[in-house]
């Protein structure tokens, strides 16, 4: 990892408004090798961490098996369907308020 501790890296990320836990940073280091650029802590490391972190728990997380990936995608589809129906209801409500007839 070089000359930086997990705590120092976490504090650096916090100073850039990345609200992560020390355990998240440790996991990132364990799974990806951590810092790039010969162990020098830079903004690029923060961007790399943020991208890696944004995929955790999704179908796009590195290292998950196909079964888990499919299950997560199916869950995402169901969430999107629920959101679609919610938005359709909201459109209908707003149209009624404006006395707009649906097509």
């Amino acid at each position: 990892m070089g000359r930086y501790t997990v705590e120092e890296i976490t504090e650096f990320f916090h100073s850039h408004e990345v609200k992560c836990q020390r355990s998240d940073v440790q996991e990132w280091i364990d799974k990806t090798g951590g810092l790039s650029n010969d162990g020098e802590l830079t903004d690029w490391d923060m961007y790399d961490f943020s991208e890696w972190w944004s995929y955790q728990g999704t179908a796009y997380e590195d290292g998950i098996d196909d079964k888990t990936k499919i299950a997560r995608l199916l869950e995402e589809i169901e969430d999107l369907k629920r959101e679609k129906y919610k938005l359709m209801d909201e459109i209908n409500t707003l149209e009624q308020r404006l006395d707009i007839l649906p097509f």
Side-chain angles (χ1 to χ4, degrees):
M1 182 170 60
R3 60 189 137 193
Y4 297 98
T5 65
V6 173
E7 289 80 12
E8 290 171 323
I9 296 169
T10 305
E11 186 59 36
F12 176 77
F13 292 164
H14 287 174
S15 73
H16 287 80
E17 305 298 325
V18 178
K19 298 180 190 314
C20 59
Q21 301 294 318
R22 180 196 171 284
S23 58
D24 300 320
V25 175
Q26 184 64 60
E27 184 179 356
W28 170 68
I29 291 168
D30 293 345
K31 289 187 175 180
T32 68
L35 303 179
S36 57
N37 198 22
D38 297 325
E40 184 64 34
L41 185 59
T42 68
D43 288 350
W44 290 111
D45 296 306
M46 180 199 49
Y47 300 134
D48 183 54
F49 171 79
S50 294
E51 182 177 352
W52 171 84
W53 195 31
S54 71
Y55 290 129
Q56 298 309 296
T58 72
Y60 310 102
E61 179 179 340
D62 280 338
I64 62 172
D65 59 32
D66 288 343
K67 184 176 180 179
T68 302
K69 184 177 285 198
I70 290 168
R72 289 180 181 178
L73 286 170
L74 290 172
E75 183 179 324
E76 185 177 336
I77 289 168
E78 289 305 313
D79 290 343
L80 291 170
K81 283 180 181 178
R82 280 190 291 277
E83 182 68 17
K84 173 188 165 189
Y85 294 126
K86 179 182 165 189
L87 291 170
M88 289 172 66
D89 286 343
E90 188 175 337
I91 287 169
N92 287 334
T93 301
L94 293 171
E95 285 176 341
Q96 286 174 1
R97 284 187 194 164
L98 295 172
D99 290 327
I100 297 173
L101 296 174
F103 294 104

